[in-house]
Amino acid sequence: MGFRDTALLAALLWPLGAGAAPPPFEHRLTPRPVAEHTWMVEGRPEELSEDNGGDIANSAFIVTGHGVLVIDTGSTLAYGHALRAAIAGVTDQPVRWVLNTHHHPDHVFGNGAFPEAEIAALPGTRAAFRRHGEAFRDTLYQRLGDAARGTGLVPASVDLAAGERRFGGYPLRLLALRGHSGSDLAVLDPATGVLFTGDLVFHHRAPTTPHSPGIAVWRDDLATLAALDFKVLVPGHGPVARDPGPIAATDAWLAWLHRRLRAGAERGATANQVIDAPLPEAIAAWPLARYELTRSVSHFYADYERRYLWGEPAATTK
């Protein structure tokens, strides 16, 4: 059943005289302090579903003293409003800035809950949202049903660039990378040592690869992150860490994925054979491991076949 059918059914079943339509998904968000003036809201290690209302990615915010800066706003308008309420429970400072780490729907479709804020992203992220935003919105309604009600296209309107930028006098270091989505923002707070990686780093969850320019590119970005002087790591998915372990784990997954795809291509295995072969015990323990392997095969395997089976160049396996 599509969103329109779901919404119509809900309207027909809602009692006459009850007033407004029933509220969308009720998120219960708990901000967790990770450093001075800094909080994170952790998403569930799941895929988008009506049961979780799209609450699968991490959001974070910094109370700068000049206003609140939010990093990623979640997958729906309802989530964005819940995040806004959670922030209000921590501080009475207004939300003045929103940074989108990349264009994927679980990180940007809560933007509409912050109409007064400056919403900013890398130029490549803004361009990717223009290309994919409508399709992503349609997918959200199909996957989340009524939980997505009211969610619309609210893109970032301000370009970010690599380097130091001050937000009301509060300095942050911005890094422009691209391994996960083609345009990925990482943010380092020199004052607290908190590194916000977006989906360049997954913790206790298998990484997603839909728009990655290649495994080697992503691994180079991880090396860049690992070389930074940070104390706390806030990944795009999964719990906060106080060591570089999640970077190493994400890199290990990508290295294994490359070996799996290359070995399959070299022996002429079909995509289904690559997917269905047994997983190593350590890999199988990751949430959504088989699911994300299946998706990664669909994203990458044709290129691996071109390079390792037929001897042709392929951009994603450089």
Side-chain angles (χ1 to χ4, degrees):
M1 178 181 291
F3 169 73
R4 293 175 179 83
D5 294 330
T6 303
L8 177 60
L9 179 61
L12 291 173
L13 293 179
W14 191 242
L16 293 175
F25 193 93
E26 183 178 356
H27 293 277
R28 302 180 184 278
L29 304 184
T30 303
R32 300 174 184 175
V34 298
E36 188 177 13
H37 314 306
T38 308
W39 284 260
M40 186 263 274
V41 178
E42 184 179 340
R44 306 182 196 182
E46 301 168 1
E47 191 40 53
L48 294 168
S49 72
E50 292 189 30
D51 289 340
N52 59 40
D55 178 12
I56 66 169
N58 294 343
S59 298
F61 60 95
I62 302 171
V63 181
T64 70
H66 310 277
V68 177
L69 180 142
V70 175
I71 300 176
D72 288 340
T73 59
S75 61
T76 66
L77 181 65
Y79 179 96
H81 281 302
L83 177 61
R84 187 184 183 104
I87 293 169
V90 170
T91 178
D92 59 2
Q93 291 184 31
V95 175
R96 291 186 58 191
W97 309 276
V98 168
L99 305 186
N100 292 155
T101 60
H102 61 295
H103 72 287
H104 288 165
D106 49 332
H107 294 261
V108 301
F109 274 94
N111 284 358
F114 302 95
E116 78 290 1
E118 173 187 288
I119 303 177
L122 295 171
T125 297
R126 296 183 63 202
F129 188 85
R130 287 193 294 270
R131 290 194 302 272
H132 302 289
E134 289 188 6
F136 282 160
R137 178 199 56 199
D138 293 347
T139 297
L140 285 177
Y141 280 116
Q142 292 163 6
R143 300 282 294 276
L144 302 181
D146 196 50
R149 176 162 28 99
T151 302
L153 300 177
V154 182
S157 58
V158 176
D159 280 341
L160 295 173
E164 182 180 292
R165 175 175 167 179
R166 291 181 174 269
F167 296 86
Y170 194 92
L172 293 174
R173 180 181 173 188
L174 309 180
L175 292 90
L177 304 171
R178 63 192 188 98
H180 169 67
S181 70
S183 179
D184 296 284
L185 175 70
V187 180
L188 178 63
D189 184 344
T192 60
V194 178
L195 174 62
F196 306 89
T197 68
D199 279 7
L200 288 164
V201 178
F202 285 69
H203 192 192
H204 298 326
R205 185 203 188 280
T208 64
T209 60
H211 298 101
S212 173
I215 291 172
V217 176
W218 194 339
R219 296 187 71 195
D220 286 345
D221 286 352
L222 292 174
T224 297
L225 295 178
L228 297 173
D229 183 16
F230 66 89
K231 298 176 182 177
V232 181
L233 187 150
V234 177
H237 295 260
V240 68
R242 301 186 183 277
D243 58 56
I247 298 176
T250 302
D251 184 67
W253 171 280
L254 294 172
W256 167 80
L257 178 61
H258 169 70
R259 293 193 300 270
R260 176 97 165 205
L261 298 177
R262 178 172 180 170
E266 287 178 336
R267 70 174 187 271
T270 66
N272 284 340
Q273 288 172 330
V274 174
I275 293 167
D276 293 338
L279 297 176
E281 184 176 350
I283 293 294
W286 288 46
L288 300 174
R290 183 76 69 179
Y291 176 84
E292 294 300 353
L293 171 61
T294 301
R295 297 178 74 198
S296 293
V297 169
S298 72
H299 304 148
F300 290 140
Y301 196 54
D303 281 342
Y304 272 79
E305 289 178 313
R306 279 192 285 271
R307 179 168 186 177
Y308 294 111
L309 184 58
W310 303 327
E312 300 175 4
T316 59
T317 56
K318 288 180 180 177

